[in-house]
Amino acid sequence: MHRLIGFFTVLWGGAILLGFAKLWRYEGEPSPTATPKRERSIESAIQPRPGHFTLIMAAHPKCPCTRASLREIAKVLAHSPVPVDTYVVFYHPLHTSPEWAKTESYALAKAIRGVDTLFDEGGREAKRFHAVVSGQTLLYDSDGRLLFSGGITSARGHEGDNKQEAALMDLLNRRTTQPIQTPVFGCSLAEGFSR
Amino acid sequence: MTTPQSEITSETKERATTLFSEHQQSLHKKIDRMFAALMLVQWIFAIAATFWLSPRTWAGSASQPHIHIWGALLLGGVISCFPIFCALARPGEAFTRHVIAIGQLSMSALLIHLAGGRIETHFHVFGSLAFLSFYRDWRVLITGTIVTALDHFVRGLVWPQSVYGIQSSETWRWLEHAGWVIFEDVFLIISCNWGLQEIYAICERDASLQASNASLETKVQVRTASLREANERLAALATTDPLTALPNHRALIDIIDKEIERSHRYNRPASLLFLDIDHFKALNDGCGHAVGDAALIEFGQELQKGLRAIDTLGRWGGEEFVILLPETDGELALEVAERLRASIASHLFEAGGGVRITCSLGAATYSQDALSRSELVHAADRAMYAAKKLGRNQVRAVSDPIVNTLDSAIESSREDIATQGTVEALARLVEVRDDYTGEHTEGVAQLASQLAKAMGLDETEARRVSLVARLHDIGKVGISDAILRKEGKLDEEEWRLMKLHPIIGADVVSHVPSLRLTMPGIRGHHERWDGRGYPDRLEGEHIPLAARIVAVADAYSAMTTDRPYRQARSHEVAIEELKRSAGTQFDPAIVEAFLQVFERATRREERGRAA
């Protein structure tokens, strides 16, 4: 009886460790991203303003992880020493109304001071920046040069101080001018799951 | 040397330890059950929270369930189910407590993870540790703390953001978190120990109280036992005859009552022997009371030898003894009684240097002779009395006809004496008022008695007729002398008053219980056969027989006696008058019987003269 209990206890402990390992692995695994464009697309509705940084985030309105990214945007804007033109581009599928995108994330973005929201039917606007993952953030300087591309959270759905966000703040504070690329944690903006 | 006090203290401590263990065991089981419920609720909460926070993961317009759903459902289930099982299947065991601690803190880790590392979720760790402290077992807190520390250590190494909120390469951060947990542990462990000390103190007090109660209970039991013994001794004294050590009168009453009840229930016979030592007074007077007492003791012992175990011998009082014979009919009871009588008669009593004693026995049987205890005892007593009357040293059953005959003789003689005295006293009253009436009633009584016998009435009836005749004019004591002794004829008012004397007479005798049966005869002795008499105008055979007989005898006596207002008539004239009035004033059958009485008397006189 004691052996059986011992066996089950070990089995139980193992199952817990395995479960956590699985979760950690998923949460810490970045989504596959495309190489971002160095220059701003001239076809984009978002155009630079002289003397202003432009911050663009592609967002899937129903992605749970994106809420963390939006909260990080809010923090960045609150602490930015320079004015930043910020846009959050909300994806909605082709042939659907923008209403599809009016979710909690959309409401969260609208509530952030200095953020403009755009609806992006079929993800066309995001594609112009080669952004394929929700939460992918792009920072352009006043000349339209890409300074930052990637996620601003360290894991899926995990908000809080992190290296990515710190790097973005360094660029805004002009502590560096080297372009930075970080992993992105979020849902795909492309149609369909890869098997 | 160990003093009694220290022995008590040692026992009390042992008991306190037992109580403490029992209390802890009960507490652990209770907390196990609470944790089982909590873990189930937590699991459901985790699933609900993930459905709300991150239900699905998306790829464009396509979606699928978020991995958090599976994490909450499966991992949450794995974490919760085993502790719940242990809490239900093995409650109160240390192993279960530690499994619960591991499970609970693992659930904290999962919730922190599912909440995206939100700092608020860390309060679950502190809450869980506080809840674990309910066990008042510091080891459980250590287990929980180790789980938390390990979780933080591993995640700090692999993925610090998920646990610390920031991306940090400082590997010692897990120690900081563990330190805060230990900080809480210190207070919880102190609280646990204080709680344990208090509980132990309470258990010690309980043990002392129980020891005091036990001591008190022992004292009460000892006192109760001694009280019971004293009561038993008192009961024995109250139910045992101190001289013969046999059941006394009071005990016998209970025993006989119970046996009669049992016999009644099972419809079985039971017999009672009533014994009285013959001439015991002579033994007492002659040899002294000490010898008498010794004889009584020896008498009881000798009787006891001849009885069965189920029989009861007791001293009824003085030299009277009673033997109760259960399951014994009248015939068998007589056999037993005769055997006992013979045994006593043949025994040479040591008392007084060797004397012979005999006894008289009466036997009665339930339910043949009596239906109650008092009846049964009385019946056996009567039978014993008959045995005495018939010469002593013998056995008589109450069913023996001679017993009843003796009873009747005794009773009637007693009654006769009492009644005769009363009758004579009343008759004397009448004589004092009126000489004629006194003499007259005596004559009427003789005539009526003869007449009753001639008519074939039994002894009792004849006697009653005689009494009616003797007292029929007793009511005249209530009539004034002016009327009673008036020489001339009575006027109407005087007659009215005179006619009251049967009523007054009946009223007088109604106050004497033994004469009440004469009342109808006295009241009706002036009634007429044709219904024109007084006071009730009764007719024919509605008039009491005694009254009809007395009426004839009274009329004859009155006619043949000198009165102040006329001379006595001859016998023949009186007879003729009776014949003439038969069927009108008198009952013809009685007049006829009256005539026959005189005819027989005449014939006897003639035969006497001829002889």
Side-chain angles (χ1 to χ4, degrees), chain B residues 440 444 550-560 566 574 578 585-586:
Chain B
H440 163 70
V444 173
V550 170
V552 173
D554 185 33
Y556 176 82
S557 177
M559 283 189 286
T560 56
R566 63 160 171 78
L578 287 176
Q585 186 175 352
F586 305 116

Side-chain angles (χ1 to χ4, degrees), chain B residues 139-398:
Chain B
R139 298 171 196 84
V140 175
L141 291 173
I142 298 300
T143 301
T145 305
I146 289 170
V147 171
T148 303
L150 271 175
D151 173 51
H152 282 65
F153 173 69
V154 173
R155 281 207 278 171
L157 282 178
V158 178
W159 181 32
Q161 172 67 22
S162 71
V163 62
Y164 304 132
I166 57 167
Q167 196 77 22
S168 171
S169 60
E170 295 163 335
T171 51
W172 53 265
R173 282 296 296 268
W174 72 275
L175 275 174
E176 185 188 342
H177 278 235
W180 283 112
V181 172
I182 289 166
F183 178 70
E184 188 195 6
D185 282 347
V186 169
F187 296 106
L188 292 177
I189 287 168
I190 289 170
S191 169
C192 282
N193 283 337
W194 284 354
L196 288 175
Q197 283 169 12
E198 281 176 12
I199 289 167
Y200 188 79
I202 290 168
C203 289
E204 235 175 15
R205 280 201 295 275
D206 279 356
S208 295
L209 202 61
Q210 284 179 3
S212 300
N213 284 344
S215 165
L216 197 64
E217 184 64 26
T218 308
K219 280 179 188 167
V220 168
Q221 281 176 358
V222 168
R223 294 272 166 84
T224 307
S226 67
L227 198 62
R228 193 184 302 120
E229 278 173 23
N231 279 337
E232 282 168 1
R233 278 200 302 276
L234 280 173
L237 284 173
T239 56
T240 306
D241 175 53
L243 179 65
T244 60
L246 294 171
N248 63 11
H249 187 105
R250 182 179 166 182
L252 282 168
I253 285 173
D254 282 348
I255 294 166
I256 297 167
D257 278 342
K258 283 176 186 163
E259 183 52 33
I260 284 180
E261 190 187 330
R262 195 192 68 82
S263 299
H264 174 70
R265 197 184 315 132
Y266 298 110
N267 195 24
R268 301 294 301 163
S271 292
L272 189 87
L273 302 181
F274 204 105
L275 300 87
D276 187 276
I277 299 175
D278 296 331
H279 303 300
F280 184 72
K281 188 173 181 304
L283 179 71
N284 251 349
D285 293 345
C287 304
H289 286 283
V291 173
D293 288 349
L296 285 172
I297 295 167
E298 203 174 337
F299 182 75
Q301 289 166 346
E302 192 59 24
L303 285 174
Q304 195 79 62
K305 288 177 191 169
L307 296 176
R308 300 169 299 179
I310 59 167
D311 300 333
T312 303
L313 166 66
R315 189 179 175 197
W316 191 251
E319 70 270 30
E320 290 175 340
F321 289 77
V322 158
I323 299 171
L324 179 67
L325 304 168
E327 297 290 331
T328 306
D329 60 18
E331 197 178 337
L332 186 59
L334 279 179
E335 280 179 30
V336 173
E338 181 53 37
R339 196 170 63 236
L340 292 172
R341 186 205 62 76
S343 157
I344 292 295
S346 63
H347 181 69
L348 186 63
F349 281 72
E350 287 176 13
V355 292
R356 295 278 181 188
I357 289 175
T358 61
C359 63
S360 301
L361 297 95
T365 302
Y366 174 86
S367 59
Q368 174 189 312
D369 303 320
L371 292 172
S372 68
R373 184 244 310 152
S374 58
E375 283 176 12
L376 189 65
V377 172
H378 182 61
D381 184 31
R382 279 170 55 215
M384 184 276 293
Y385 194 74
K388 289 267 184 201
K389 284 285 172 197
L390 292 167
R392 298 186 172 83
N393 189 25
Q394 57 185 282
V395 177
R396 289 290 163 185
V398 74

Side-chain angles (χ1 to χ4, degrees), chain A residues 1-2 5-6 8-13 15-28 60 62-65 67 71-72 91 93-94 100 104 153-164 186-195, chain B residues 52-64 66-68 71-72 75 77-83 85-86 90 95 98-100 102-103 106-107 109-110 112-118 151 154-155 158-159 161-163 165-169:
Chain A
M1 188 65 184
H2 284 293
I5 292 289
F8 275 112
T9 308
V10 170
L11 195 67
W12 175 61
I16 291 172
L17 290 176
L18 190 70
F20 273 116
K22 205 72 175 137
L23 272 181
W24 294 339
R25 190 177 160 201
Y26 170 77
E27 305 284 353
H60 192 296
K62 296 189 179 180
C63 172
C65 313
R67 289 194 291 270
R71 288 194 188 94
E72 293 307 317
Y91 161 89
L94 279 172
W100 191 91
E104 189 188 336
T153 60
S154 63
R156 288 180 191 275
H158 281 253
E159 62 183 271
D161 297 343
N162 57 78
K163 284 179 179 174
Q164 293 86 324
C187 298
S188 173
L189 297 173
E191 284 296 329
F193 290 96
S194 57
R195 299 287 171 189
Chain B
W52 183 59
L53 290 171
S54 48
R56 302 186 77 76
T57 184
W58 292 80
S61 60
S63 70
Q64 63 184 23
H66 199 282
I67 193 168
H68 281 184
L75 185 55
V78 167
I79 289 170
S80 305
C81 286
F82 190 56
F85 167 77
C86 289
R90 303 170 76 94
F95 170 77
H98 289 282
V99 166
I100 285 173
I102 294 167
S106 298
M107 186 53 94
L110 179 64
I112 291 168
H113 188 96
L114 296 176
R118 287 172 68 88
D151 173 51
V154 173
R155 281 207 278 171
V158 178
W159 181 32
Q161 172 67 22
S162 71
V163 62
I166 57 167
Q167 196 77 22
S168 171
S169 60

Side-chain angles (χ1 to χ4, degrees), chain B residues 508-529:
Chain B
V508 168
V509 296
S510 73
H511 293 284
V512 185
S514 59
L515 294 178
R516 275 185 195 135
L517 290 175
T518 63
M519 212 171 68
I522 291 171
R523 188 180 173 99
H525 79 275
H526 275 296
E527 298 289 351
R528 288 170 57 102
W529 184 254

Side-chain angles (χ1 to χ4, degrees), chain A residues 30-83:
Chain A
S31 303
T33 52
T35 307
K37 283 181 72 174
R38 284 287 168 196
E39 304 299 331
R40 292 243 298 260
S41 170
I42 54 166
E43 295 168 0
S44 172
I46 303 167
Q47 292 302 321
R49 276 200 299 162
H52 281 244
F53 284 97
T54 304
L55 187 65
I56 302 166
M57 178 186 276
H60 192 296
K62 296 189 179 180
C63 172
C65 313
T66 302
R67 289 194 291 270
S69 300
L70 288 168
R71 288 194 188 94
E72 293 307 317
I73 284 281
K75 275 160 63 180
V76 167
L77 293 180
H79 294 98
S80 173
V82 293

